[in-house]
Amino acid sequence: MHDHGLGSWMAKRRLKSPDKTALICDEQQLTYRQLADAADRVSELLWRRGIRKGDAVAYLGENSPQLLQVLFGAVQLGAVFVPVNTRLAPPEIRHVLTDSGARVLIHDPEFVDRADIGDVAECIVHTIPTGEGDTAVPGLARLIRMTDAGHIDAEVSLEDPAAIVYTSGTTGRAKGAVLTHQNLTWVALNCLVDYDVTSGDVALMISPLFHVASLGMGALPVILKGATLVLERGFEPGRALAQIQRHGVTMLSGVPTTYQLMADHPDWAATDLSTLKKLTCGGSAVPTRILNAFEERGLSFSQGYGMTETSPGATSLSPDMTRVKQGSVGLPHFFTDVRIADEHGAVVPRGTVGEIEIAGPNVFPGYHGLPEATASAFTADGWFRSGDLGYLDADGYLYISDRLKDMIISGGENIYPAEVENAICDIDGVSAVAVIGIPDDRWGEVPVAVITTRGDTRVDTETIRTLLDGRLARYKLPKRVEIVDELPRTASGKVRKADLRARFAR
């Protein structure tokens, strides 16, 4: 076998566990043999359309078996898979397609207008809708059936690009992070070690696979181990609870909001959750109220930290340490290293806040077509500069202070918004919060909390300041509280703090 990357996985799974259920999506079930055969046909289909090693194959669609068939079919050729976020606006989609140089776009039919395919780029040679399509424009499912099976064993090394995943673009245009076969293999191995993934697991995927967390730390470890994936096209809390009970789900990953919505759902108390063993949560720290709700059902979380550039896992906090190290994002993954450096690049003692730097085989080699951005993202000795501030405690556990660019300097004091946000999140009635710095004639900057509330809850500046007084230094208390219906977010769910600063800087 010449393929040493992800493209070899399907052939090996077909050999080792051909009749094991690989995927469940709605009423459709695929064994590993069926998934591998479909990936082979996609590979042949792309080959016939002129796709070769290094060519980009874009996919714009929701979670489905076809997404994974295209992923594995593309990488078998040494082609580069480009998952496109379905929540992006048309100009953002055009940027992803043109920047990646995608030669093929495979898309769910409902996104054809969003992609504005007719105008998108000269690089797109073929567009293929998912599903059946019709005689005039056959869809991917029909084309797969019409294509002969046959495994194409291309020359692929672990150092070759496997995917280009675009960052959420909180500042400027989204950058394409090139993830190699090595990156995605090692992040999957980290998950196998640190999350104890077994071949008997049934993992419910409620987050979209175009996000690197769902793909790199959700789907790929499960497939590598030969476990079962239950794919959901979108998240609906009642349906997620029903799927857990119906399929005996053992693994679930999400963000604090998804877990809160499940715990708040009317079916929460009546749903049988006895099969659930492993819950992972990323994006931000799990608020105390969510920990309480799940612990009352005998469930604890693994939490973690990472980013697109680390494929994405960097650290994990085991469930048994959730309370002991509450607020921490855990220890570095087994095959990953983390250190803290000051503004001059010198490594600082434990307990000192500085920039988080990450190294390991899961760290990407650079941004697509952006050598200067790539060079600035790494230290002279090859560590990735995260742009996040944090510290390691005496036991080596990582705590996130904030994004370097979001730090507020008020009267010469550093304020890390994440610390204030975590405190406000524990206040009854607060559903979400973002703390921003706005200009102030006296202090330079002052913190302002922008929050959303649940139900008829009413909070104001004095209420928040009173509840936080004594928990936080007074200079950290928000000088103003603004109530909004919804926080503006990027397609990947990150709060657009720049939008909030522009709105509330007065």
Side-chain angles (χ1 to χ4, degrees), residues 269-422:
T271 301
D272 181 2
L273 304 178
S274 60
T275 58
L276 267 182
K277 305 299 179 188
K278 303 157 191 172
L279 302 176
T280 59
C281 187
S284 59
V286 181
T288 302
R289 65 176 182 274
I290 302 178
L291 290 176
N292 292 340
F294 279 79
E295 286 178 354
E296 287 170 2
R297 300 294 304 271
L299 300 168
S300 297
F301 292 92
S302 293
Q303 300 177 61
Y305 162 75
M307 59 204 66
T308 304
E309 292 88 344
T310 58
S311 309
T315 70
S316 65
L317 181 69
S318 60
D320 61 307
M321 299 302 288
T322 296
R323 290 291 187 176
V324 178
K325 296 289 187 179
Q326 189 167 351
S328 169
V329 292
L331 298 168
H333 276 299
F334 196 86
F335 297 107
T336 305
D337 294 302
V338 170
R339 70 185 186 188
I340 308 296
D342 64 19
E343 63 270 26
H344 305 295
V347 176
V348 298
R350 290 189 175 182
T352 305
V353 172
E355 185 174 8
I356 301 164
E357 296 179 349
I358 305 160
N362 58 303
V363 176
F364 82 140
Y367 298 107
H368 177 66
L370 297 172
E372 292 182 2
T374 297
S376 65
F378 288 90
T379 64
D381 57 348
W383 288 64
F384 173 65
R385 302 182 61 218
S386 70
D388 290 332
L389 295 172
Y391 65 92
L392 298 172
D393 72 6
D395 300 315
Y397 285 78
L398 178 64
Y399 290 76
I400 307 298
S401 299
D402 222 311
R403 286 291 295 172
L404 193 57
K405 64 181 178 59
D406 288 334
M407 185 178 69
I408 300 166
I409 303 176
S410 183
E413 297 282 0
N414 293 344
I415 300 172
Y416 304 119
E419 178 187 14
V420 185
E421 290 163 354
N422 289 338

Side-chain angles (χ1 to χ4, degrees), residues 39-216:
D40 283 349
R41 288 184 164 93
V42 170
S43 189
E44 178 68 26
L45 179 68
L46 293 172
W47 179 269
R48 292 181 185 180
R49 281 160 172 72
I51 300 305
R52 300 293 185 265
K53 183 175 181 178
D55 289 338
V57 175
Y59 190 98
L60 175 64
E62 303 291 0
N63 287 357
S64 73
Q66 291 185 337
L67 187 153
L68 291 169
Q69 291 163 5
V70 172
L71 164 64
F72 284 105
V75 296
Q76 280 181 197
L77 297 175
V80 182
F81 182 66
V82 182
V84 185
N85 191 321
T86 62
R87 298 165 187 167
L88 296 179
E92 295 170 311
I93 292 175
R94 287 197 294 273
H95 169 66
V96 169
L97 296 176
T98 55
D99 186 74
S100 66
R103 292 179 55 76
V104 173
L105 171 63
I106 299 170
H107 63 91
D108 287 354
E110 60 264 36
F111 298 120
V112 64
D113 293 336
R114 182 92 61 85
D116 202 5
I117 293 167
D119 275 344
V120 79
E122 295 179 0
C123 60
I124 298 286
V125 178
H126 302 284
T127 59
I128 303 172
T130 59
E132 287 294 325
D134 52 38
T135 305
V137 183
L140 183 63
R142 187 189 300 246
L143 290 170
I144 288 174
R145 289 198 305 273
M146 294 165 54
T147 304
D148 294 333
H151 182 76
I152 298 174
D153 186 21
E155 290 269 4
V156 179
S157 74
L158 285 171
E159 290 73 31
D160 286 329
I164 301 176
V165 182
Y166 280 78
T167 62
S168 55
T170 52
T171 57
R173 277 193 157 183
K175 299 189 290 291
V178 177
L179 303 182
T180 66
H181 291 264
Q182 170 177 269
N183 296 151
L184 293 172
T185 297
W186 282 98
V187 80
L189 289 171
N190 272 338
C191 291
L192 264 57
V193 173
D194 288 331
Y195 298 138
D196 260 349
V197 182
T198 72
S199 59
D201 276 321
V202 178
L204 177 61
M205 298 303 303
I206 58 176
S207 301
L209 292 174
F210 54 69
H211 285 321
V212 69
S214 302
L215 183 63

